[in-house]
Amino acid sequence: MNYKSSIRLACLSCFLLFLSLSVFAQKHLDTNHKSLSVDHNSMKAENPLRVLLFSGTGWYRHADIPLVNGWIVRLGAENNMQVDVSETGDDITKERLELYDVLLFNNANVLDKIFSVEQRNIIETWYKNGGAIVGLHALLVHQENWPWIMNLGGCDFNSDSDFSKAKIKVDPKAMDHPTVKGWGKEFWYEADWTNHTKVVTGLPGVQVLLRVDESTYEPVRDYFKTRDGKPMGKDHPIAWTRIWDGGRFFYTELGHDIRSLDTEFGRQHIIEGIKWVANKE
């Protein structure tokens, strides 16, 4: 083989090597591209439910509010929910609230001292346009100066009990509701039970989920016995839903402290309540 033939052979070998590497690289890029597309679609299909958890208080502040906040954030993360926490009315703007599917109030009482008239109007308008609100325990405490939220809940606060074990009865029409499903007609549970100013049974759009049997515990604790505290009697709802005024509402008396929530029932009750108001059950 002469010198020129050797040069031609070397050039041909280099060209073939370059061509092989190009084909390999293109196949590798195509494979990666397909993988990225699959991952992107998977992420898109799993967009989290967005929850704004508000725990600012205008009056009595429950000691377990920070614990309950953390518990809800973790519970949400386990159930494909992004939960953001706020305690200031400055976070309530039209643009910001529209980013969320659910507004959850953790023991947020006397809210007229937390929200301005403008901020309250923003919440009302957002809800009336299909918004979703969840209220834990003290949401329905001294809201007389924000009549809309009190009317949404259907009642206000009279008194409460000590942390007590009591018999809970599931409303016959709510047996298949996801917040209580699987717990039978009645069961025992521990919490602080609130006495409300009126019974919500029969209000337009209300479905009572649970009632507490007052004969199984002391419904008015000593502090309120000298302050016009009154039991509610045989019809004592402790959890209900409401479809009213354009949106969805879920309320539960659970949440005074973490012990009333951090149970198998409590986790189901809260997660399914959030999903129900967001119409995602």
Side-chain angles (χ1 to χ4, degrees), residues 96-148:
R96 191 166 296 170
L97 199 53
E98 286 178 351
L99 297 174
Y100 293 95
D101 304 296
V102 177
L103 176 57
L104 190 160
F105 289 108
N106 172 18
N107 286 291
N109 52 55
V110 195
L111 286 171
D112 63 288
K113 292 186 178 180
I114 302 295
F115 299 139
S116 67
V117 173
E118 180 183 3
Q119 291 159 351
R120 280 176 267 162
N121 288 337
I122 288 170
I123 292 172
E124 292 177 27
T125 300
W126 171 82
Y127 175 87
K128 291 175 182 179
N129 288 332
I133 291 178
V134 171
L136 304 186
H137 195 68
L139 172 64
L140 300 181
V141 171
H142 298 318
Q143 303 288 15
E144 57 270 9
N145 291 325
W146 188 10
W148 181 83

Side-chain angles (χ1 to χ4, degrees), residues 186-223:
E186 58 184 42
F187 57 97
W188 289 84
Y189 205 74
E190 290 184 289
D192 306 75
W193 310 110
T194 301
N195 299 303
H196 301 285
T197 53
K198 62 185 292 187
V199 175
V200 299
T201 304
L203 290 180
V206 167
Q207 170 62 67
V208 174
L209 303 171
L210 300 171
R211 292 178 174 85
V212 63
D213 183 347
E214 289 187 354
S215 70
T216 62
Y217 72 106
E218 178 54 57
V220 181
R221 60 187 171 98
D222 290 343
Y223 177 84

Side-chain angles (χ1 to χ4, degrees), residues 71-116:
W71 180 83
I72 293 173
V73 169
R74 292 189 298 274
L75 186 67
E78 294 168 1
N79 289 273
N80 197 35
M81 297 180 185
Q82 178 180 324
V83 182
D84 299 330
V85 179
S86 172
E87 294 205 337
T88 173
D90 292 341
D91 287 333
I92 303 300
T93 66
K94 180 177 182 294
E95 294 74 20
R96 191 166 296 170
L97 199 53
E98 286 178 351
L99 297 174
Y100 293 95
D101 304 296
V102 177
L103 176 57
L104 190 160
F105 289 108
N106 172 18
N107 286 291
N109 52 55
V110 195
L111 286 171
D112 63 288
K113 292 186 178 180
I114 302 295
F115 299 139
S116 67

Side-chain angles (χ1 to χ4, degrees), residues 12 23 26 28-29 40 42 46 56 72 78 90 109 112 115 149 225 232 240 245 253 259 263 268 280:
L12 179 61
V23 171
Q26 185 61 47
H28 184 67
L29 288 173
H40 176 74
S42 177
E46 295 177 1
I72 293 173
E78 294 168 1
D90 292 341
N109 52 55
D112 63 288
F115 299 139
I149 197 74
K225 286 180 178 179
M232 295 185 68
W240 58 89
D245 205 20
E253 287 185 8
R259 292 176 296 171
T263 66
Q268 173 186 333
K280 300 292 184 181

